[in-house]
Amino acid sequence: MEAAPKPRTPAPARAPETSGTQPKAAALIIGGAACLSMSAVFVKLADVNAGTAAFLRCAIALLALVPMFVYETRRRGGMPAALHRNAILAGVFLGADYVMWTLSILDIGAAVSTVLINVQVIVFPLLARVWDGTRVTRRFLLACPLMLVGIALAGGVVDSGAQTVHPVRGALLGIGAGSAYAVYLYLIRRCGQRSPRHVVTPVCVSTAAATVSSGAISLLTTGLPLAVPAASWGWIVALALLGQVAAWLLISKGGPLLPPNTAAALLLLQPVMAIAFALLILHETPTPTQLGGCALVIAAVWTSNRTPRTKPAARPA
């Protein structure tokens, strides 16, 4: 009798290809940073109260986000309730970030406040390390001081001799804004990781929460005048659609696919691109020191995220 054929051992499953994922995710983050970088230009051209800009930025964005949210829910189902709570909390921190950062500009100037809000490059990976155990690379830790120095130079800290009105309060508000920004990034990233099918939902829910929180905080601080000149509405709508809708959809899509330190570092390109857009649109000429700071930021971001080459394995004799 012929021996029964031996059953085949199934081949081990291959790990999914991820080589092309990180470059695409990085491109999404850079695109989101570019949209965010135009926010300062739009706010300046709109020439409205800071609280009004923060509130309308979120409220008008909902007009575009809600239909997309309904479509995504019908097609992919609802997002888990726990993640809805995360998105709401993220929006509260985002609204606080918008108002605190604007107030810090009034206290210590745009240059220093731009530096302080970018403490997110440290706080965001730290949150992921503490709560999720995500490893932070040594290369990133070594590059952090260079990133912050570059942001300081690009922001014009050296060149600006502006007098600070409330230096201590402004510094605390700037650090608070940067920390709130980092919490928003962390919570939105967590939503994207646990429910990758939903990209619009966490952004829409957090934007609704940011509308409420920024409006409430503005009423208590800067005031909330809504009598906006007709000429300003176009810039406010552009701020909402690009600086809120497009920016956070891109970041929400790309953020969960990258390590927190990589996403935080790439977002540091935002003030660098803001200088470029100010040059092109507002014809504001950067100083040599600012250009040097931009170059330092780009070099530090590239260095912190560069993948070291691995030596090829030796062939067996």
Side-chain angles (χ1 to χ4, degrees):
M1 293 179 64
E2 293 184 1
K6 294 182 179 180
R8 283 188 176 182
T9 304
R14 291 184 179 181
E17 292 291 335
T18 58
S19 58
T21 301
Q22 288 208 356
K24 292 178 182 177
L28 291 171
I29 296 289
I30 293 172
C35 293
L36 283 176
S37 67
M38 298 187 70
S39 300
V41 175
F42 292 147
V43 169
K44 190 168 184 177
L45 290 171
D47 193 23
V48 295
N49 174 279
T52 302
F55 173 76
L56 291 179
R57 171 185 193 160
C58 299
I60 295 174
L62 289 174
L63 299 177
L65 287 170
V66 168
M68 290 190 284
F69 162 74
V70 173
Y71 175 77
E72 183 177 79
T73 302
R74 287 179 177 175
R75 185 179 178 187
R76 300 177 179 175
M79 191 172 68
L83 298 185
H84 273 279
R85 290 192 290 271
N86 276 357
I88 291 172
L89 185 60
V92 172
F93 277 98
L94 182 64
D97 161 41
Y98 285 158
V99 179
M100 283 193 292
W101 183 52
T102 307
L103 290 173
S104 72
I105 292 174
L106 300 177
D107 282 350
I108 56 178
V112 180
S113 62
T114 300
V115 177
L116 293 178
I117 196 173
N118 280 291
V119 299
Q120 63 84 15
V121 76
I122 298 172
V123 179
F124 178 23
L126 183 61
L127 289 172
R129 175 63 180 171
V130 172
W131 293 105
D132 300 333
T134 306
R135 178 175 169 268
V136 180
T137 65
R138 182 180 300 177
R139 185 188 298 272
F140 172 79
L141 293 175
L142 293 175
C144 270
L146 293 178
M147 294 181 194
L148 294 176
V149 170
I151 290 293
L153 296 175
V157 173
V158 175
D159 298 319
S160 66
Q163 296 292 326
T164 56
V165 181
H166 297 289
V168 176
R169 186 180 70 180
L172 292 175
L173 286 169
I175 294 172
S179 301
Y181 183 28
V183 174
Y184 172 82
L185 293 172
Y186 170 73
L187 292 173
I188 286 295
R189 180 177 183 271
R190 172 174 280 192
C191 290
Q193 283 182 318
R194 297 188 178 182
S195 184
R197 300 179 305 159
H198 298 94
V199 177
V200 177
T201 301
V203 176
C204 183
V205 173
S206 63
T207 299
T211 304
V212 176
S213 63
S214 62
I217 296 172
S218 297
L219 284 173
L220 299 174
T221 53
T222 64
L224 193 60
L226 297 177
V228 178
S232 300
W233 279 107
W235 300 116
I236 293 175
V237 171
L239 172 66
L241 295 181
L242 278 178
Q244 188 67 26
V245 177
W248 292 120
L249 285 179
L250 290 170
I251 293 171
S252 178
K253 179 70 174 177
L257 304 175
L258 293 173
N261 55 290
T262 301
L266 290 175
L267 285 172
L268 284 184
L269 297 175
Q270 174 193 340
V272 174
M273 289 185 280
I275 291 176
F277 285 125
L279 173 63
L280 294 174
I281 299 174
L282 301 177
H283 305 292
E284 295 181 353
T285 305
T287 65
T289 304
Q290 287 180 298
L291 293 175
C294 293
L296 183 57
V297 170
I298 294 171
V301 169
W302 178 81
T303 302
S304 67
N305 294 288
R306 184 171 61 88
T307 304
R309 293 182 179 179
T310 56
K311 294 181 179 180
R315 292 183 179 180

